[in-house]
Amino acid sequence: MTSVSFVVENIRRSIRVVVIAYLAVVLVPNIRATSEYDYKRGEYLVVKDGKSPDKKFSIVSGENQKGEFGVYLMDAPTKKIIGKLEKVATDLDTAPDAYYAHWSPDSKHVAISSRSDRHMLENVIYRIENRRAYLVETPELRCRAVPDFCQIVKELGGLPSPDNDDTESKVRQTENTSEIVEWISPTRFVISEESQFQVRTRDLTAALGQYGEVEKETAAADAPGDFYQVSFNAEGECELLPGDKSQVLSTHPVKKEH
């Protein structure tokens, strides 16, 4: 005869298996490094907030007939592709909900945010005119808000290029988020910028002021010298200029949420 304890133990095991399977299904998609979608050739899907306010255009992601993935400007009424938006980062994610469009209220400009790396959210702005997309200079808040920080980074050798993971560099950028959070008018907008850095030998607390935080880390045996984790977080009002240029009008610090 089967003992009560044996039955109870089997029930407990079954419950544990069910719980583990449930957690695997629920939690794994939330921690995936990439957001993927398997497109058919010639299939295009509208990205998040991709439809322009005047309903004439859409920003879509998908594959052309050659199987090449990209982000495109589409004629919304006819569903015909106008052209590929070459400067949008597309190396990491493919799902349409991984791309964010931020249209100006007059539908003449659109900013698109996407990840070039797991911890790098890039912002690209286009001017839409005569059914074509023209690249617009994206403003950078950091050097306007904390010019002393940018000067010290330059003195330390600057940031290595994104495709060059130089472990010997004195400054490395480990995270970056740049995104338009609000259009104030057809030519003015608010952009948010948050960055994380690893800096050797220099404490940049004074250079950052209220725009960031600095934490000193214990140096590794193979990398002697002081080592700092640096964060920068700001928002700024920006303005579009003739010639597809832009400028930062004002900035203010954003306190980091712990």
Side-chain angles (χ1 to χ4, degrees):
M1 180 180 292
T2 304
S3 67
V4 173
S5 61
F6 178 80
V7 173
V8 171
E9 181 60 27
N10 275 338
I11 292 174
R12 287 176 177 171
R13 288 178 181 174
S14 298
I15 292 174
R16 283 199 296 269
V17 170
V18 171
V19 170
I20 292 171
Y22 172 80
L23 292 176
V25 171
V26 172
L27 297 182
V28 168
N30 294 329
I31 60 175
R32 289 191 311 168
T34 59
S35 180
E36 300 177 355
Y37 180 87
D38 187 15
Y39 295 89
K40 300 176 183 178
R41 292 199 175 189
E43 180 183 12
Y44 301 97
L45 299 176
V46 178
V47 307
K48 185 175 178 62
D49 297 329
K51 293 183 179 180
S52 64
D54 64 5
K55 311 300 182 185
K56 292 182 179 180
F57 303 102
S58 293
I59 305 299
V60 299
S61 59
E63 289 188 1
N64 61 21
Q65 293 298 335
K66 296 180 180 180
E68 299 168 337
F69 174 77
V71 173
Y72 300 83
L73 178 66
M74 172 185 278
D75 183 294
T78 65
K79 310 298 183 185
K80 292 184 178 180
I81 295 296
I82 296 173
K84 186 177 181 180
L85 303 175
E86 298 285 354
K87 296 300 181 179
V88 176
T90 58
D91 291 337
L92 186 65
D93 300 307
T94 57
D97 60 2
Y99 296 86
Y100 301 82
H102 309 271
W103 283 95
S104 64
D106 62 357
S107 301
K108 292 184 178 180
H109 289 85
V110 61
I112 303 168
S113 299
S114 61
R115 296 191 299 173
S116 59
D117 187 80
R118 185 176 179 182
H119 301 291
M120 298 288 178
L121 183 70
E122 312 292 348
N123 181 58
V124 179
I125 304 174
Y126 284 96
R127 171 172 55 89
I128 309 301
E129 186 175 357
N130 298 326
R131 295 176 56 81
R132 290 189 60 185
Y134 301 87
L135 188 66
V136 176
E137 174 187 78
T138 298
E140 183 180 283
L141 303 186
R142 194 185 318 128
C143 291
R144 165 64 186 269
V146 286
D148 291 344
F149 173 83
C150 289
Q151 179 60 34
I152 293 174
V153 169
K154 184 177 180 180
E155 294 172 1
L156 292 175
L159 295 173
S161 61
D163 57 350
N164 180 19
D165 186 15
D166 186 358
T167 56
E168 300 299 320
S169 296
K170 293 183 178 180
V171 184
R172 295 178 61 243
Q173 187 173 19
T174 56
E175 294 185 24
N176 182 69
T177 298
S178 178
E179 188 170 21
I180 289 179
V181 294
E182 179 187 5
W183 282 90
I184 302 172
S185 73
T187 59
R188 290 194 178 188
F189 54 90
V190 176
I191 195 168
S192 171
E193 187 175 320
E194 183 175 358
S195 302
Q196 301 283 339
F197 302 87
Q198 293 178 347
V199 182
R200 295 180 186 176
T201 72
R202 295 286 293 271
D203 183 346
L204 301 181
T205 302
L208 284 170
Q210 296 182 341
Y211 283 90
E213 297 180 358
V214 178
E215 295 182 6
K216 188 175 181 179
E217 301 285 343
T218 302
D222 59 347
D226 294 333
F227 178 67
Y228 301 91
Q229 295 283 358
V230 178
S231 65
F232 169 83
N233 198 351
E235 286 188 354
E237 183 176 339
C238 305
E239 182 180 36
L240 297 171
L241 300 174
D244 292 331
K245 301 293 184 180
S246 64
Q247 67 177 349
V248 180
L249 299 176
S250 63
T251 64
H252 66 268
V254 176
K255 294 298 182 181
K256 182 178 180 180
E257 296 182 2
H258 295 280

